[in-house]
Amino acid sequence: MTKQSQELTQKDTRERILDAAELMFMQHGYDGSSMRTVTSEAGVNLAAANYHFGSKEALMQAVLRRRLDVINQERMRLLDEAEAKAGGKPLKPSVIIDCFFGTLLRVAADQKAGGETFLRLLGRTITDPSDFIRTFMSSEYADVLERYKEALFRSLPDVPKAEIVWRFHFMLGATSYAITGTDSLRLVTDWQVDEGVAEQEENLLPRLMSFLLGGLRAPLPKIEISVEEAASAPFVK
Amino acid sequence: MTKQSQELTQKDTRERILDAAELMFMQHGYDGSSMRTVTSEAGVNLAAANYHFGSKEALMQAVLRRRLDVINQERMRLLDEAEAKAGGKPLKPSVIIDCFFGTLLRVAADQKAGGETFLRLLGRTITDPSDFIRTFMSSEYADVLERYKEALFRSLPDVPKAEIVWRFHFMLGATSYAITGTDSLRLVTDWQVDEGVAEQEENLLPRLMSFLLGGLRAPLPKIEISVEEAASAPFVK
DNA sequence: CTAGAATTAAAACGAACGTTTGAATTAGAG
DNA sequence: CTCTAATTCAAACGTTCGTTTTAATTCTAG
């Protein structure tokens, strides 16, 4: 059997498992989902999941990788493009933020039948307690995060780097929580009964963008920085 | 046996279970923690947990309630106090934000041996996939959220209420993610090896506060609002 | 068509799970 | 002290978990 035909025959089962796993992991979390519910939801045999992916952990990684690769490649491409166009000059913060967070929302919302689901899965995954997930996400994001941090440092030369790292951190949190959608605190209750899901995404992006930029460019807090702390501040290279 | 002596004798076991559960739930999540690891960590018999709390779900609720009650009562008290002092005039956004988010960080950080742990547990709990946790948090937070939303509406009369609700939502996300601490993406890597944990908390508050206020007061996004959407916007009463 | 690899299918494995049971132990009230 | 209720304890319950095994089936290259 050739490689090409393998992929064709596997594609059905593999992708059905990935789709079902994406949905179940989003709805019930990694620990809350079982291989049995995933495979039965996918309409395939239980053993097929272990045959194609090896283990539940590997399945989770495959679910995440399928979408994250696309998103992170697009993030890199857009930042390269913007920096090339700027010709050595620092980028505007709004451009950087849009490349990073805007890409996430746009790409994830674009992909038919799964983008929305993945977006919410990602929001939960970022705070997932499982060690292997945190390790995986860390390695998966290392390059792109380093790239964007450097871009922000150049973009905001007067802001301490430690402060930028903190605010990037806060922005990630606001975004991850925003896209989780199902508001655990029911802050937003009667939600889009008449309208489609797409419309929510459309409006989420500009709203979130305004918030993130406002936070990123907020006045610096007044903190007494001790000498020792300044020396050990993160990422002051 | 009198009620008082009951509480005294139960206190040891009950609180040891609560402390251990708080720690395990924080470290491994609700689904990732077992009654066996919790009770063995607490140094008590397995059945003691079900005896004192009835079930694993009830144990989780007791863990959350123990700290949330204190925090939310303090939130209510401070807002009452601030509004009484203002004498009918709207409060400044910074005051409201400090009452809500500042109280969380201060009270949780104050409580000896557990405040820090609970803070991180709460960060994860807010995005936990379990249905019963979301339901519990929703009901536990309903009153205080309603109170703070109203205060923000009065504080920012020119900002559409829907926008305020969105930004409250984003602020919750930034905070919950910020206090989760263990950065899943390792954005902050070499972290306070020399310094204690307390110092992180000290600096987190002003940093987070600046970010939240910047986001809250950011320029409004440009969104085309259709008539239908405006009519069904959340919480426009 | 046929040999052989790839895939699917059914069944079972041992381990870990939340919970329950019933006896043993502890502690306070009269 | 004695009786009774509260608590602790060891053991087991039935279920579900991720994974493995082994056989049946499907598909394709030659």
Side-chain angles (χ1 to χ4, degrees), chain A residues 2 24 27 31 87 129 146 162 164 167 170 184:
Chain A
T2 66
M24 300 307 286
Q27 286 178 336
D31 285 319
E146 192 60 31
I164 293 179
R167 293 187 173 186
F170 298 149
S184 61

Side-chain angles (χ1 to χ4, degrees), chain A residues 68-80 83 96-101 103-104 122 136-154 168 172, chain B residues 185-187:
Chain A
L68 275 184
D69 279 355
V70 178
I71 291 169
N72 280 339
Q73 280 170 22
E74 180 74 357
R75 278 167 165 164
M76 287 296 204
R77 192 185 66 77
L78 284 177
L79 194 54
D80 287 339
E83 287 185 338
I96 301 174
I97 298 309
D98 186 77
C99 286
F100 192 87
F101 296 100
T103 296
L104 174 66
L122 185 62
F136 172 79
M137 294 291 286
S138 172
S139 67
E140 194 76 2
Y141 261 109
D143 292 347
V144 69
L145 279 182
E146 192 60 31
R147 248 333 237 103
Y148 272 81
K149 274 191 320 189
E150 294 296 337
L152 280 175
F153 291 164
R154 283 197 299 275
F168 204 118
L172 274 170
Chain B
L185 301 186
R186 305 273 160 80
L187 184 64

Side-chain angles (χ1 to χ4, degrees), chain A residues 14 37 49 64 88 102 114 135 152 163 170 173 182 207 214 218:
Chain A
R14 271 185 64 99
T37 62
L64 295 175
T135 303
L152 280 175
E163 197 66 36
F170 298 149
T182 62
R207 289 192 213 267

Side-chain angles (χ1 to χ4, degrees), chain B residues 2-47:
Chain B
T2 66
K3 246 187 186 175
Q4 190 182 5
S5 58
Q6 274 183 33
E7 283 167 7
L8 282 176
T9 52
Q10 285 183 359
K11 193 174 182 182
D12 274 326
T13 301
R14 273 185 62 99
E15 291 228 333
R16 284 170 66 174
I17 294 174
L18 285 175
D19 289 341
E22 189 173 65
L23 181 64
M24 301 307 287
F25 288 156
M26 180 274 280
Q27 287 178 335
H28 309 107
Y30 175 77
D31 285 319
S33 307
S34 71
M35 297 293 270
R36 282 169 175 83
T37 63
V38 167
T39 49
S40 85
E41 187 80 9
V44 304
N45 188 272
L46 168 61

Side-chain angles (χ1 to χ4, degrees), chain B residues 151-164:
Chain B
L152 281 175
F153 291 163
R154 283 197 299 276
S155 178
L156 300 164
D158 296 331
V159 181
K161 293 185 178 183
E163 196 67 36
I164 293 179

Side-chain angles (χ1 to χ4, degrees), chain B residues 64-65 68-69 72 135-144:
Chain B
L64 296 175
R65 213 189 310 266
L68 275 184
D69 279 354
N72 279 339
T135 303
F136 172 79
M137 294 291 286
S138 172
S139 67
E140 192 77 1
Y141 261 109
D143 292 346
V144 70

